Amino acid sequence: MTKVWSPPAPEDVDFRAEIRAWLRENIPQKPAPAFYTPDRRAYDAAWQRSLLEGGFGALGWPTELGGREVTVSQQMIFHEELANAGAPDVGCLFIALNHAGPTVATRGTQAQRERHIPRILRGEELWCQGFSEPEAGSDLASIRTRGDVHGDVVVVNGSKIWTSYAHLADFCELLINTDRSAGRHKGLTWMILDMRTPGVTVRPIKTLTGNPRFSEVTFDDVEVPLDNVVGGLNNGWSVAMSTLGFERGSAMMGRQVRTLRRIEELRDYAEKNGALADPLVRAELDALRRDAFAVRALVHRSLKPHTHAQGASSVLRVFHSELVGRLTRLAMRIQGEEVVTLGSWNLEYLNELRSKVTAGTLDIHRDIIGNRLLGLPR
């Protein structure tokens, strides 16, 4: 049966008007610094603090944690209005707001929540992600960074790589091996690491775009309080899956809205430079727009509790990454001679190459889809 279109709920109409009016008065006059420097951290923190004071900095969070606990539809409206207004995104607060914060909120102790959640929501704590290792990128089950329990501390030795925002971070969501005799997916522990702890060394990595977003981090006899374990000792695999679920689910709301916005911007550019006269370009732009709306539907579905199947977030991850790849490649073709200048589309094209391996490579996600959703043999 065909679903009959229904108008938006009155409360959603009112919410859209509320956020639209607030944005008209509060969007920063200056754009965010392009590179992840201390200036960018200060900019992102100020924007998050402004959102929180305006009532929009913790929309999906529970009220007991200082959130507003609005509906999924209203969260989508928020991201749509931010994109339409050209407002900044979360920037280098991405891990804190979309990874660590939700993980500590759902899997942490009361003391951990009270310590970190208010500061995260105010933009005062910047977090990095310490999951990937030089020989264990997408295969988290084979990580080698070890933690040995000695009394009330865990002594950590090893290294992490591609650690997002480590050069600016206060804390790290750190996944380590605390029981090397256990089998795969067992013996791992998710910990909160203070990046100022003695023995932590951060070495920034310059990417193709020149942006120092990632770092290599080494740990030499780093003592982490046992109280910083989240979700229980040797239960880190389960906690890490929660973290990645947030990254591939709720954190996708803003990304997919901005992707749709960029598709419309590319269509406008193609019309101005005459590329839209090419039927193949028009067809590809139409296909991109159609698939962007499909991603939107997937995001909505992934956030409904009764449809939170294992592997569903991997479908979203693969589909959206491939969509952005097609978009940036088309943009590079449409630019023509202008492609020699290092404009925003060129930077997005280079950055998109990275997206195929972050948060698990696309091949890893295809394996997850095959095993957990389709029931195929390994």
Side-chain angles (χ1 to χ4, degrees), residues 269 273 332 334-343 346:
Y269 177 82
N273 78 349
M332 295 293 279
I334 289 176
Q335 283 186 96
E337 293 181 358
E338 294 182 24
V339 77
V340 299
T341 63
L342 195 60
N346 306 54

Side-chain angles (χ1 to χ4, degrees), residues 9-10 38 51 66 83 87-88 97 105 109 135 145 189 202 208 212 235 254 279 287 304 332 341 345 355:
L51 285 169
L97 290 168
T109 65
E135 296 183 15
T145 297
T189 296
V202 178
L208 278 172
N235 193 41
K304 295 180 180 180
M332 295 293 279
T341 63
W345 280 112
S355 73

